[in-house]
């Protein structure tokens, strides 16, 4: 590229001049290209280790005038082709002009001005597309694409200097982290080490410090482990690796590619070594932490944060923490955990103003809300900018229809303003009241000690509301946590669940949304609705609220509305149990938004088709058990109990394994503290039963012990009538087991395992997510292979390897683009066999790499025909089973099966109308013409018998294949000719196919005579005699008994000639030139002077009969042959029989394909040409 002219003091240091003229010098850096000796090796090593290759391109052009010792660099290039283009432009456009000048200074001024003008024009044209990356970073990205053969769509995120341990020897080089690959490159004394690992292949990623590998990062795949060390900032590098691996796992899970955030605000200045993608990923990580901390929606984006203090009127003190500002919220979190947290929705803000500064209260900002609460923040570094940003966001915030938060002063079951659309469209009691309130309104009021305890709880919360506020702007402190752990009163449970989960905010900002989803889902019949109907009556059948149609109908509406909102999840078992509990304490709309918060934020990926989130947390639970209860963990692993019990515990939040009145208290804690409390209680349950579990001898005994324990966890403070528990049968025995107080269990879990932190759990989740998703992918592969192994002749190992190649093409479409998006090709509801599908372009690539029928330039055409043949539903995509079916016919079929496949590839639908213009004529030929005006008696019993016979399964035989017309036969001959061009016995095969073609043409002529004589139809004498003049033109000196035969044979000969004359692909190197004898070993003859049967072994057909003969030859619409005739003719030629009976070696093909995707290679660097060959 052209660069701003800069002076160079030492022009020949570390550079070799290759071209020169009076004004310019083209130079190559030592260590690149041919030669260089020991100096070149040292320079090349230095460039890699010191990263000078990212700043210094291997080629450059210098400007020099006369005998001046001052040189000026004006262009550089990463390849010889690029720098040669610049050199040729200079010679063409500037040399003649510069020779006119008399003064050397004028020449230099003119050159500098010209180059600066070119650069300005380039920058102007690229202004709209200009990215924020620095020039050095763009150089590094170009270098990565060149070294590893990456396309332009592959974006570099960052690169770091490090050592890669190859055996016990460290190789110093550079690791390149792109969106989809981890790449490493090293060049030491001429030895090159190149490593490419797809993020989707990573199974484990961990940072460790050992004596051998200090501060190292281990990247594990299914087959190998790679160690990287000596990072300048190992923590920053590892965090970026985690992010990229997480994106790759999301691709495997959802088949969605990475989309850059184009709305990200531009940096104030271009950072030296930070790309726009790195800034994007850093912003995503901050957004995720921010949303998780304050339970905000997925579209909330952090604008910035700053240190500050918050005046707390309840404590009469300033609390140090951080203030966060996003597009819809102002949030505060104290530096000390659980001391104070605050969420202020901008829709609730009425006034933002700067207060008077003082020595006690420097730079304060006062924020007032519509419910008369005022928050005072101080010690703000840039108060003016903060107030301006908040004002900008307030201007974009839509006005709320009410000035007080909707949860303010609301008690359980009271109507909410946002439920008005629902109550008007769905006049049901559950639209405005919770099920528990509906069924308890007629119950007599209790005055016992339990009711008194409940009243005391309500009073404690009312006092808390007076002191800390009520609604979404409430101060959340350690006092709030203490009240939650002591149990939320039933009258406040729905309100506080909405508040702590963040569902209140989402419901307030989407009025009427639930009613729309209910109306949209009404009357739909999908797989999700069928599963919902099947599970409705299994949802808490012991509770009287779900023993009638009112509760069942409410549950149906909520579940179907969510399935309509999120088709990716739809419905999953266990959602019905959780939703039924939500409906007991909330209205329908509130239960819907709580379900949204659960499925999409608090329990991510729990309720998809493969319950990935629950499996991940199951793995985290096993890891926590190993760390906290090591002896019990080893014994439980031997019994295989942990993986069995934990899944139901996490999926239903203990609701299915614990009495309802006890489990609902765990749900209270879960909505406030998140998944941490579920892990704590699960560990406490194992710890309480440790001694008994250590004495167990089998899985069943351990399950019984845990089941009895959980069934006897009671809530002695509940005011609800007792509900029978489904696991009561487990407690049968002479001595009833002792009861466990749920409050004591919660307290014990907090005391013994309260040190668990949310960030540690998230780190464990990352490690387990890699393991779980890769394990599910392996399970999917085994399921697919088992499903098709009986229908395929490939071995299990071959099918698994083919599946890897097939899936790699599908995954590639996620990030390198395709004609259709990968999400459209991936349907998780389908069986594993049909989930991954590829399009025509990807199939052609796989066919070229793995197919046996390679036909040179004709290969793509043949692959397209096979694709259309395999695409049974005509959606432009094929699944793995269809792909294997096509390959199996080529590799493991006998001669008959292979010829049958090849025959079908030249009939519709494989042969598209553009390739066979006479397809309509062929269909007309095979259709019996019924004479006009005749009336036949309709025999309905006959048609019923025919319909029954059609529905009977029958195997297709060769007699069922359609007949082939003349144009299709010519296409078949061309394909065969191209197939034989690479075979060692090509001359024998050419002669054989010419003989067979001639024989089949004669057979077709004979068959046409019988067809014409036997058919009762009027003949057109003009059309019948049309081929004869063509034959006379082609063979004027030779009288044939049948003119049509000559015409048909000449067409075949000409088709073969056209196939032979197809332009071969261009060679990539000028040094590779074919010897003339490779072509001249054949004698060339005219297609019009020989019959097909006269072609000798050393003859190649050249179509030189002239345009007049070509126009005289027409296709015979009455000519046709059958597959049986083709097969019988082929069997007469031993070379053809040997060719089609030969078994293909799929292992060798897959090995070659694997070498193209080789993970690691080490070669000697000798020239740019060799590098280009290696990269391809």
């Amino acid at each position: 590229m052209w660069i701003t002219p800069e002076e160079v003091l030492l022009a020949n240091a570390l550079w070799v001049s290759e071209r020169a003229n009076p004004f310019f010098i083209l130079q190559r850096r030592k260590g690149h290209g041919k030669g260089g000796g020991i100096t070149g090796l040292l320079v090349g090593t230095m460039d890699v280790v010191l990263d000078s290759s990212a700043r210094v391109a291997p080629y450059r052009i210098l400007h020099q005038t006369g005998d001046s010792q001052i040189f000026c660099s004006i262009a550089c290039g990463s390849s010889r082709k690029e720098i040669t283009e610049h050199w040729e432009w200079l010679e063409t456009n500037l040399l003649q002009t510069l020779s006119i000048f008399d003064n050397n200074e004028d020449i230099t001024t003119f050159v500098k001005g010209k180059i600066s003008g070119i650069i300005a024009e380039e920058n102007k044209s690229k202004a709209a597309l200009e990215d924020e990356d620095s020039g050095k970073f763009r150089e590094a990205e170009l270098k990565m694409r060149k070294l590893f053969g990456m396309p332009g769509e592959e974006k570099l995120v960052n690169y770091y200097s490090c050592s890669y341990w190859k055996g016990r020897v460290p190789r110093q080089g550079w690791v390149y982290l792109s969106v989809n690959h981890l790449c490493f490159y090293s060049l030491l004394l001429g030895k090159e080490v190149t490593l490419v690992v797809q993020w989707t292949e990573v199974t484990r990623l961990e940072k460790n410090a050992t004596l051998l590998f200090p501060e190292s990062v281990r990247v594990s795949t299914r087959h190998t482990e790679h160690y990287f060390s000596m990072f300048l900032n190992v923590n920053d590098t590892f965090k970026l690796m985690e992010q990229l691996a997480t994106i790759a796992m999301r691709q495997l899970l959802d088949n969605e590619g990475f989309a850059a955030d184009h709305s990200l605000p531009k940096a104030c200045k271009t950072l030296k070594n930070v790309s726009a993608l790195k800034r994007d990923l850093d912003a995503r990580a901050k957004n995720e932490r921010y949303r998780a901390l304050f339970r905000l929606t997925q579209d909330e984006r952090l604008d910035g944060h700053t240190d500050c203090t918050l005046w707390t009127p309840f404590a009469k003190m300033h609390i140090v923490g951080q203030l966060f500002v996003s597009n819809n919220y102002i949030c505060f979190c104290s530096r000390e955990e659980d001391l104070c947290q605050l969420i202020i929705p901008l829709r609730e803000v009425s006034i933002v103003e700067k207060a008077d500064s003082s020595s006690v209260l420097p730079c304060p900002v006062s924020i007032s809300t519509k419910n008369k609460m005022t928050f005072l923040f101080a010690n703000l570094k840039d108060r003016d900018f903060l107030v301006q940003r908040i004002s900008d966001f307030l201007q974009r915030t839509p006005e709320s229809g009410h000035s007080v938060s909707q949860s303010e002063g609301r008690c359980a079951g009271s109507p909410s303003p946002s439920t008005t659309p629902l109550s008007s469209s769905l006049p049901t009691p559950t639209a405005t009241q919770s099920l528990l309130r509906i069924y308890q309104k007629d119950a007599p009021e209790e005055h016992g000690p339990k009711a008194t305890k409940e009243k005391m709880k309500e009073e404690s919360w009312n006092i808390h509301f007076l002191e800390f506020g009520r609604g979404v702007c409430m101060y959340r402190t350690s006092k709030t946590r203490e009240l939650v752990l002591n149990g939320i009163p039933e009258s406040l449970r729905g309100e506080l669940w909405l508040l702590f989960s963040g569902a209140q905010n989402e419901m307030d900002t989407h009025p009427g949304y639930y009613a729309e989803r209910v109306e949209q889902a009404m009357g739909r019949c999908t797989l999700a609705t069928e599963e919902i109907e099947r599970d409705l009556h299994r949802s808490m059948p012991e509770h009287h609220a779900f023993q009638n149609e009112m509760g069942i109908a409410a549950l149906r509406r909520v579940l179907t509305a969510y399935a309509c909102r999120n088709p990716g999840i739809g419905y999953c078992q266990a959602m019905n149990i959780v939703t039924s509990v939500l409906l007991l304490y909330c209205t329908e709309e509130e239960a819907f938004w709580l379900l949204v918060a659960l499925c999409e934020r608090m329990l991510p990926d729990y309720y998809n088709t493969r319950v990935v989130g629950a499996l991940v947390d199951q793995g985290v639970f096993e890891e926590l058990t190993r760390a906290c209860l090591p002896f019990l963990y080893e014994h439980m692993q031997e019994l295989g109990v942990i993986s069995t019990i934990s899944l139901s515990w996490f999926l239903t939040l203990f609701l299915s394994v614990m009495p309802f009145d006890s489990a609902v208290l765990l749900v209270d804690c879960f909505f406030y503290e998140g998944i941490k409390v579920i892990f704590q209680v699960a560990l406490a349950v194992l710890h309480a039963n440790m001694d008994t579990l250590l004495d167990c001898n089998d899985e069943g005994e351990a399950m019984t012990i845990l089941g009895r324990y959980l069934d006897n966890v009671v809530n002695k403070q509940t005011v609800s009538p007792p509900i029978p528990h489904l696991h009561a049968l487990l407690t049968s025995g002479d001595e009833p087991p002792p009861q466990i107080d749920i409050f004591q269990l919660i307290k014990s879990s907090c005391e013994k395992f309260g040190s668990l932190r949310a960030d540690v759990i998230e780190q464990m989740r990352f490690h387990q997510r890699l393991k779980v998703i890769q394990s599910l992918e392996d399970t999917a592969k085994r399921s697919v292979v088992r499903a098709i192994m009986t229908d395929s002749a490939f071995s299990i190992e071959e099918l698994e390897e083919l599946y890897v190649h097939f899936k790699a093409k599908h995954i590639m479409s996620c990030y390198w683009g395709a004609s259709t998006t990968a999400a459209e090709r991936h349907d998780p509801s389908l069986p594993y066999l049909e989930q991954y599908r590829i399009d025509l372009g990807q199939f052609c690539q796989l066919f070229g790499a793995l197919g046996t029928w390679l036909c040179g330039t004709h290969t793509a055409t043949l692959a397209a025909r096979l694709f259309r043949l395999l695409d049974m539903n005509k959606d432009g995509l094929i699944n793995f089973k269809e792909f294997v079916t096509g390959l199996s016919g080529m590799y493991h079929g006998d001669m008959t099966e292979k010829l049958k496949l090849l025959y079908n590839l030249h009939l519709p639908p494989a042969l598209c109308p553009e390739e066979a213009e006479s397809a309509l004529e062929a269909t007309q030929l095979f259709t019996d013409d019924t004479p006009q005006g005749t009336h036949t008696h309709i025999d309905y019993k006959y048609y019923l018998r025919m319909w029954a016979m059609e529905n009977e399964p029958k195997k297709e035989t060769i007699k069922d294949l359609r007949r082939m017309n003349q144009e299709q036969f010519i296409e078949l001959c061309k394909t065969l000719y191209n197939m034989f061009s690479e075979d060692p016995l090509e001359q024998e095969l050419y002669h054989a196919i010419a003989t067979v073609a001639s024989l089949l043409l004669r057979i077709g002529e004979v068959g046409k005579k019988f067809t014409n004589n036997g058919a009762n139809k009027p003949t057109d004498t003009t059309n019948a005699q049309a081929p004869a003049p063509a034959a006379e033109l082609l063979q004027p000196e030779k009288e044939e008994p049948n003119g049509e035969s000559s015409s048909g044979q000449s067409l075949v000969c000409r088709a073969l000639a056209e196939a032979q004359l197809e332009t071969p692909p261009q060679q990539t190197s000028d040094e590779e030139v074919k010897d003339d004898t490779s072509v001249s070993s054949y004698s060339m003859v005219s297609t019009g002077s020989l019959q097909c049967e006269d072609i000798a072994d050393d003859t190649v057909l050249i179509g030189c009969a002239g345009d007049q003969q070509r126009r005289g030859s027409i296709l015979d619409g009455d000519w046709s042959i059958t597959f049986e005739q083709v097969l019988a003719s082929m069997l007469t030629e031993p070379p053809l029989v040997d060719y089609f009976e030969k078994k293909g070696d799929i292992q060798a093909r897959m090995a070659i394909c694997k070498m193209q995707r080789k993970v690691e290679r080490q070669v000697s660097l000798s020239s740019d040409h060799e590098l280009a060959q290696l990269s391809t």
Side-chain angles (χ1 to χ4, degrees), residues 454 457 461 483-484 486-494 496-497 500 665 668-669:
E454 187 76 3
K457 286 184 180 180
W461 276 99
L483 288 175
V484 171
N486 289 329
I488 298 176
E490 289 188 352
S491 59
L492 298 174
R493 185 161 276 148
L496 293 176
W497 281 1
F500 296 144
L665 292 175
D668 293 343
C669 301

Side-chain angles (χ1 to χ4, degrees), residues 406-466:
Q406 292 176 1
S407 61
E408 175 75 20
R410 172 189 169 273
C411 59
S414 62
S416 172
S418 65
T419 61
T420 305
L422 177 64
S423 59
S424 60
S425 60
L426 297 172
T428 60
T430 53
T432 56
Q433 295 181 359
S434 64
L435 285 173
L436 211 57
R437 187 175 182 83
I438 292 172
Y439 285 97
Q440 289 182 351
K441 62 182 179 181
D442 297 329
E445 186 176 355
E446 295 185 9
H447 299 283
K450 291 184 178 180
T452 304
K453 184 74 173 177
E454 187 76 3
K455 291 290 185 183
M456 292 175 60
K457 286 184 180 180
E458 291 180 9
E459 188 62 28
S460 297
W461 276 99
N462 288 329
I463 294 172
H464 183 274
F465 292 147
L466 288 174

Side-chain angles (χ1 to χ4, degrees), residues 645-938:
I645 60 175
S646 57
L647 194 60
S648 59
W649 293 3
F650 294 123
L651 272 175
T652 63
L653 304 176
F654 284 95
L655 288 167
S656 64
V657 294
M658 194 180 286
F660 169 74
D661 295 327
S662 303
V664 75
L665 292 175
L666 294 182
V667 178
D668 293 343
C669 301
F670 167 75
F671 277 123
Y672 185 79
E673 293 197 294
I675 194 64
K676 178 177 74 170
V677 72
I678 303 298
F679 285 120
Q680 290 175 351
V681 172
L683 289 171
V685 170
L686 292 183
H687 184 268
N689 294 275
M690 184 188 299
D691 295 336
T692 316
L693 290 172
L694 287 173
D695 295 333
C696 291
N697 297 319
D698 56 47
E699 179 186 357
E701 187 179 354
M703 293 286 293
T704 302
I705 291 171
L706 292 172
R708 284 180 176 175
Y709 179 87
L710 291 172
D711 191 59
N712 286 276
V713 176
V714 296
N715 179 8
K716 297 177 182 179
Q717 300 179 10
T718 181
V719 295
S720 300
I723 301 172
H725 191 230
L726 293 178
H727 290 82
L729 294 174
L730 294 172
T731 63
S732 61
D734 298 334
E735 296 182 5
Q739 292 183 338
I740 300 94
D741 187 4
I742 181 62
F743 294 101
Q744 288 297 323
L745 179 62
I746 294 174
K747 182 180 178 182
S748 173
S749 69
C750 293
E751 291 175 351
K752 293 175 181 174
F753 307 104
S755 59
L756 282 180
R757 297 202 320 269
D759 58 338
V760 175
I761 291 175
E762 285 303 317
Q763 186 68 27
M764 291 181 174
R765 276 179 163 178
F766 165 74
H767 292 301
Q768 293 298 326
R769 192 177 293 112
L770 290 178
K771 185 187 300 182
V772 166
I773 293 181
Q774 296 292 10
S775 176
L776 289 173
E777 291 297 313
D778 292 339
T779 302
K781 178 174 67 175
R782 289 192 294 269
S783 300
V784 169
V785 169
R786 280 198 303 268
I788 65 175
M789 59 183 297
T790 55
D791 300 328
S792 173
F794 290 115
S795 65
I796 295 178
E797 293 77 13
E798 291 171 345
L799 286 173
E800 289 182 348
E801 187 68 24
L802 285 172
Y803 181 83
V804 170
H805 290 292
F806 185 87
K807 179 185 164 187
K809 285 295 177 186
H810 172 90
I811 294 296
M812 195 177 295
S813 66
C814 291
Y815 50 80
W816 284 348
S819 57
T820 57
T821 63
E824 293 176 359
R825 311 171 193 201
H826 183 76
D827 186 357
S829 64
L830 295 175
Y832 285 128
L833 184 61
E834 301 178 15
Q835 285 190 13
Y836 292 121
R837 295 180 290 175
I838 59 175
D839 61 11
L840 174 59
Q842 295 169 327
F843 177 80
C844 290
Q845 294 174 11
L846 284 176
F847 183 87
L850 301 174
T852 58
W853 294 345
L854 302 182
C855 312
T857 56
H858 195 64
T859 303
T861 303
L862 192 64
R865 293 174 184 171
L866 181 57
F867 181 86
R868 287 191 291 269
L869 186 66
L870 297 174
D871 185 16
M872 303 300 293
N873 57 358
K874 308 304 177 191
D875 62 348
L877 300 169
I878 63 170
N879 59 34
F880 181 65
K881 183 178 181 180
E882 294 166 337
F883 172 72
V884 170
T885 301
L887 280 187
S888 185
M890 288 189 287
Y891 275 97
H892 295 290
D894 56 16
M895 181 179 180
T896 302
E897 293 173 350
K898 290 180 180 178
L899 285 177
K900 180 180 175 182
L901 176 61
L902 196 60
Y903 183 87
N904 280 323
L905 291 180
H906 295 82
L907 295 175
L911 198 70
C912 63
E914 290 78 8
E915 295 176 314
E917 298 175 356
S918 62
L920 180 60
E921 298 176 8
T923 57
Q924 293 174 349
L925 173 66
F926 304 136
T927 305
D928 293 332
D929 294 333
T930 304
Q932 298 286 336
T934 60
H935 177 74
T936 57
H937 175 68
I938 301 177

Side-chain angles (χ1 to χ4, degrees), residues 90 140 328 375 377 399 403 492 505 527 754 859 1001 1009 1056 1148:
L90 290 172
N328 293 299
F375 306 95
F377 300 94
E399 288 292 329
S403 60
L492 298 174
N505 288 319
L527 180 63
T859 303
L1001 283 170
K1009 291 181 180 179
L1056 296 179

Side-chain angles (χ1 to χ4, degrees), residues 215-286:
E215 288 292 319
S216 65
V217 174
R218 182 174 71 174
V219 181
S220 303
T221 63
R222 287 181 175 83
H223 308 293
T224 56
E225 290 184 347
H226 307 285
Y227 290 88
F228 301 89
S229 64
M230 297 181 67
F231 290 97
L232 294 177
N233 191 340
V234 66
N235 294 324
D236 181 53
T237 307
F238 186 72
K239 286 180 182 178
L240 180 57
M241 287 181 172
E242 283 185 327
Q243 284 182 280
L244 294 171
T246 301
I247 292 172
M249 293 306 104
R250 182 57 56 184
Q251 287 179 354
L252 290 176
L253 191 61
D254 297 334
N255 282 266
E256 293 181 0
F258 174 79
D261 188 357
H262 298 291
S263 60
L264 193 70
K266 290 189 175 182
C268 299
K269 60 179 181 179
T270 302
L271 301 177
K272 199 168 187 180
N273 289 322
V274 179
S275 66
L277 277 179
K278 179 67 167 59
R279 288 183 56 240
D280 183 358
L281 290 174
D282 289 343
R284 290 180 188 221
K286 291 179 181 178

Side-chain angles (χ1 to χ4, degrees), residues 605-606 610-620 647 768 772 776:
D605 299 324
Y606 258 61
R610 297 189 280 183
V611 292
V612 172
L615 293 174
V616 168
D617 281 349
Q618 176 182 293
V620 172
L647 194 60
Q768 293 298 326
V772 166
L776 289 173

